[in-house]
């Protein structure tokens, strides 16, 4: 099973900051109606991890580390087919 944890940006009042609200790397708004990105949040579908931080890069890096802690999914399909594909790849 592949877990998902999309990044979401939020304004200081907790409302979502839409994707069309572009920002500088420091979170300052480039869109005239945006008060600015106050924090970025990610919640993993595994239910055991979430992160909320003003630094979008920090949340992204923490998410990469968390995903690496998930076990790798088993390959799907019959073993004979996997073996045949391995032979063709050489």
């Amino acid at each position: 099973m592949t877990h998902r944890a999309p990044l979401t940006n939020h304004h200081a009042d907790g409302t979502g900051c839409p994707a069309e609200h572009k920002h500088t790397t420091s979170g300052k708004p480039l869109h005239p109606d945006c008060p600015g990105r106050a924090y970025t949040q990610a919640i993993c579908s595994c239910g055991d991890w979430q992160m909320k931080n003003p630094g979008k890069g920090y949340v992204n890096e923490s998410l990469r580390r968390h995903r690496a802690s998930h076990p790798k999914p088993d390959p799907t399909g019959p073993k004979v087919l996997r073996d045949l594909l391995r032979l063709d790849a050489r």
Side-chain angles (χ1 to χ4, degrees):
M1 173 180 199
T2 302
H3 294 281
R4 295 188 35 82
L7 295 179
T8 55
N9 295 315
H10 300 268
H11 301 132
D13 64 2
T15 59
C17 188
E20 58 269 9
H21 286 191
K22 301 298 180 191
H23 302 88
T24 64
T25 54
S26 66
K28 292 181 179 156
L30 295 173
H31 189 278
D33 298 330
C34 183
R37 181 181 66 225
Y39 63 91
T40 298
Q41 184 174 23
I43 301 172
C44 186
S45 62
C46 74
D48 291 335
W49 183 88
Q50 65 178 328
M51 166 73 70
K52 177 179 167 181
N53 193 277
K56 184 177 181 179
Y58 182 68
V59 174
N60 219 1
E61 180 61 31
S62 298
L63 175 57
R64 278 198 278 287
R65 285 191 199 118
H66 171 70
R67 282 187 179 145
S69 73
H70 284 291
K72 301 289 180 225
D74 290 332
T76 57
K79 182 178 178 345
V80 174
L81 180 58
R82 286 194 312 270
D83 290 343
L84 285 172
L85 291 172
R86 261 191 232 121
L87 290 174
D88 290 343
R90 293 180 188 169

